[in-house]
Amino acid sequence: MNFLEKRIVEDGQVLSSSVLKVDSFLNHQVDPELMEKIGKEMAVRFQGTGITKIVTIESSGIAPAVFTGLSLGVPVIFARKQKSVTLQDGLFSAEVYSFTKQQTNTICLSAQFLTSGDRVLIIDDFLAYGEAALGLCEMVQQVGAVIAGIGIVIEKSFQPGRQKLEKKGYRVESIARIQEMKEGSLTFLTNIKE
Ligand code: 5GP
């Protein structure tokens, strides 16, 4: 097991066969040392791909994205789930359906911080049905920037997100890939580096 898989086994809670709770280190309380390791691992996986910007979505994507940005030496932009008063002009937006919340949100990104010359790494906390990642890709493509890859902290490989993203030609790297969850236990796909 790699460092993240070990942490999931120690501190994660399998709430059902499809929902994992990791509020103690990622989704509510955040463990900075773990985020630093995640950032370094993302940087290793995407080194040499010419990334110039990282794009994520508030709120739980921000911590792993910032540490990845620190390791790669590039800025991090986070998409908003709601339009704010300070974010009005030159907006790119996409519709994202959340299977966990059973609702569609319009996510948005200011045109100010991305250009058509950027090579973007998308980072998110979880990959389930791929809707959030696809929405982020859609906005990056509206700008005309290139998507260099998608880095995921925890992938639920039994859900269709990875297939949907790979079908569109995107490279997906996930630090932990969960093969199966049952109440009280989970298994990982084993092709992960230590
Ligand atoms: P997708 O758009 O890939 O269906 O879902 C991605 C988003 O849903 C993630 O950003 C995350 O916020 C949330 N999510 C999906 N599945 C889980 C889960 O099992 N646990 C937690 N904590 N969040 C999840």
Side-chain angles (χ1 to χ4, degrees), residues 42-53 72 118-121 146-150 171 173:
M42 291 290 185
V44 166
R45 293 189 188 205
F46 287 100
Q47 74 190 0
T49 59
I51 288 156
T52 58
K53 298 267 166 69
L72 287 170
D118 277 317
R119 287 182 61 81
V120 174
L121 172 61
V146 171
I147 291 157
I150 299 170
R171 173 182 167 197
E173 290 284 342

Side-chain angles (χ1 to χ4, degrees), residues 18-22 27 57 96-97 99-100 124-133 156 159 181:
S18 62
V19 181
L20 176 66
K21 185 173 173 177
V22 287
N27 291 137
I57 183 160
V96 171
Y97 181 72
F99 286 92
T100 41
D124 205 5
D125 60 338
F126 269 88
L127 178 61
Y129 290 83
E131 292 289 309
K156 292 183 291 178
Q159 290 174 330
M181 299 199 302

